[in-house]
Amino acid sequence: TEIFSAAGLLTDRCIMAHGVHLTHDERKQLAEARTGLACCPLSNTFFAGGVFPLRRAQLEGLRVGFGTDVAGGYSPSLLVGGCRHSVYSSQWLSSRSTESGTDPY
């Protein structure tokens, strides 16, 4: 986020993608700038190597939208395929919490 901030790009008109590896401070910076984030659960899993912590991001005040991209799956259906993968991601995060006794969000 540093390079985007230095260039003056983190504004309420900016929408970043994925956000899987953002730190707490980076999510806070995006939230303070009112920068949005588009999340594609399947793409995040396959290509970003993680699951976006949606609940945590929302609690931190980050504006999050739901999206899909061509690389993120075999179906252009946001409502069916995208929602399905969002549920899978949520269940995976929840199972991590149960196994480790930590807060995955």
Side-chain angles (χ1 to χ4, degrees):
T1 56
E2 289 178 28
I3 193 167
F4 297 105
S5 180
L9 297 174
L10 296 183
T11 69
D12 62 346
R13 296 181 61 190
C14 177
I15 300 173
M16 305 295 279
H18 304 292
V20 173
H21 303 292
L22 292 172
T23 65
H24 167 74
D25 289 339
E26 290 169 329
R27 286 190 305 271
K28 182 179 176 183
Q29 182 180 17
L30 294 178
E32 289 172 354
R34 301 279 304 143
T35 296
L37 193 131
C39 176
C40 175
L42 186 60
S43 182
N44 286 347
T45 302
F46 285 148
F47 303 109
V51 175
F52 181 70
L54 177 62
R55 185 177 300 163
R56 177 183 298 154
Q58 289 174 323
L59 291 172
E60 294 172 344
L62 187 59
R63 295 183 322 141
V64 180
F66 191 59
T68 187
D69 56 31
V70 174
Y74 47 84
S75 170
S77 172
L78 175 62
L79 291 178
V80 177
C83 289
R84 179 182 305 120
H85 296 294
S86 182
V87 169
Y88 295 156
S89 295
S90 177
Q91 289 173 336
W92 183 80
L93 280 176
S94 180
S95 71
R96 284 184 57 200
S97 172
T98 302
E99 292 171 5
S100 67
T102 61
D103 177 13
Y105 305 109

